[in-house]
Amino acid sequence: MDSSSSRNSCFSVGSTSPGAVVLLYSKELKKWDEFEDILEERRHVSDLKFAMKCYTPPLYKGIIPCKPNDIKCSVLNSEEVYYVIKQLSKESLQSVDVLREEACQILDEMSHKLRLGAIRFFAFALSKIFKQIYSKVCVNEEGIQKLQRAIQEHPVILLPSHRSYIDFLMLSFLLYNYDLPVPVIAAGMDFLGMKMVGELLRMSGAFFMRRTFGGDRLYWAVFSEYVKTMLRNGYAPVEFFLEGTRSRSAKTLTPKFGLLNIVMEPYFKREVFDTYLVPISISYDKILEETLYVYELLGVPKPKESTTGLLKARRILSENFGSIHVYFGDPVSLRSLAAGRMSRSPYNLVPRYIPQKQSEDMHAFVTEVAYKMQLLQIQNLVLSPWVLVVAVLLQHRPSMDFDALVEKTLWLKGLTQTFGGFLTWSDNEPADEVIQSSILLHSNIVGLVKDQVVLKVDTKDSEVVDGLIYQHITLLTCSAYRNQLLNVFVRPALVALALQMAHGFRKDIYGCFRFLHDVLSDEFIFFPGNTLKDFEEGCYLLCKSETIQVTTKDILVTEKGNTVLEFLIGLFKPFVECYQIICKYLLKEEEDYFTEKQYLARVRTFTSQLLDQGASQCYDVLSSDVQKNALAALVRLGVVEKKKVNNEHVFNVNEPAVTTLEEMLGCKTPVGKPATAKL
């Protein structure tokens, strides 16, 4: 049931002239499954009847799942937890009984209490809510059928993309709808602060984990053993988000490895024959939390999860959020991924219950698996027409003639499909009606006035809302939707930017591509060590769209290629400008050492001043997401030093290195020669 590779070894691209070459890369267009709207049936059947239906999900190897309390007993009596308790008792001089009681309290705090009654309650409530706020909930049934088979064969890990709190509610709702076992879900402790709701989530399969373990060995031992016990017993599919938190900017966040390490361990310790990893892509026409996210990106603290806040959010029930597409990817066998790559023999050298320090090879393997799963999620994300519309609008802001917008959007639709984008577009409707529907759905940020499509950059009364500039709220909201398109275009766009930085010679263009690829690898998901392959994919797609021709030594732009390159540069140039502006701020930083909190506040003030003065139009730099990614990149590149002082991370600027980077990004200094690479 492995996901098959769609890459062939060789494919001729570009012109057939004598100077053209064969790129050692090709990419077949993926064939996606058909979607079914599950709300169609819900609209014709009683919600109560749906909630109270006969629910008999298939079982893992036909074994009846144990009860939640049995799992807790199994964890407390496990050799692994007992070993850690004994070790801590020797080191801390605390009695084994005291530590065991602490382990009991940890389990009581974290464990789920999955009950069918709570699942039925949520099925009833969510059916009513989803019918009210969504036009459609579309699911690929072929993916559901593959998941049904996988659940009966081996333990299953569900790995959804994370854009909204709706994600985990939707997945449980869907699995109940299709008579599949409802998953147990790794949730943050934040939800426990919600009276009644936290306990309802616990009874629906949520188990709760701390955001950080802070070196607490007992907590780690109890938590990891709890997850592994559920996995070994095939209790239910285990669900968690590789990104760790919701993406506020709609770009896929770099993966977290902790839970992935835990769920892989039973396979490597030969406690299970195999484990299936299922990438799931959830795409929204309109994100429920869009305004909240923008406020957070602009520095407004995230509101604490509370039942009161949930009740206040009832007004959303009168809004329309369009459609949701949920794509269940092919289950990927961990055994197949590890075959020929990782040996299980090192785990045979010590007893299973003794914790082992992770080897470098294992860390590299876990990293590769995480990125592979994220790239599969990205591949199956569905793009709505609005994503294309807003990408065009942002390059022609603040307004654009409607007919010109339709023409440009249709051009972009063709380019997106040429590049292999997964686009949902009703071919039965005229293009202008499709685009008008998109504008209507997002009427809070865009309007149609006398044949002009206008971004709403101010209110009737004031330019400021809740202390934030209204224009910034609108533009960052638009950016979040535009960001969904970036995954399709990132590789050809980096080639386009590299062409702008170094004209002509292929090796120089690759050097610039590699530089940009490295700098922006915290912004976009790239498979580790795949820079050359990413470059070849970018060139291949540009050749396929007849934008460039690749010869033995050169990359040449065709006559019709300038339009494509201009659009791609316009799409990605803001990220390069963001990093330039942040470099300029760092060169003005007066303090020798500063914390991340100080950095975020000061860089926001600096960039706001640039925008107010008209010295920059790059509003994307106001996003704390970009600011944090840039800081992480600068630390990784050695441009900024990060160290721990008094239990707090502080940063120090290497001014010559920052100056050089800023000049290279601005094409004032040539990018250094690339290391030898077969081009």
Side-chain angles (χ1 to χ4, degrees), residues 158-165 167-169 171 185-186 239-246 256 259 282 374 377:
L158 303 178
L159 299 171
S161 56
H162 202 14
R163 301 291 176 271
S164 170
Y165 277 145
D167 295 333
F168 65 88
L169 297 171
L171 280 189
I185 309 157
E239 177 189 326
F240 63 90
F241 301 102
L242 277 171
E243 294 165 273
T245 187
R246 293 169 297 161
K256 307 292 186 291
L259 265 167
I282 308 175
Q374 287 201 320
Q377 287 175 356

Side-chain angles (χ1 to χ4, degrees), residues 464-482:
V464 178
V465 177
D466 298 331
L468 301 174
I469 296 173
Y470 194 83
Q471 180 181 16
H472 297 165
I473 296 171
T474 296
L475 293 176
L476 281 188
T477 305
C478 290
S479 289
Y481 290 103
R482 173 212 61 195

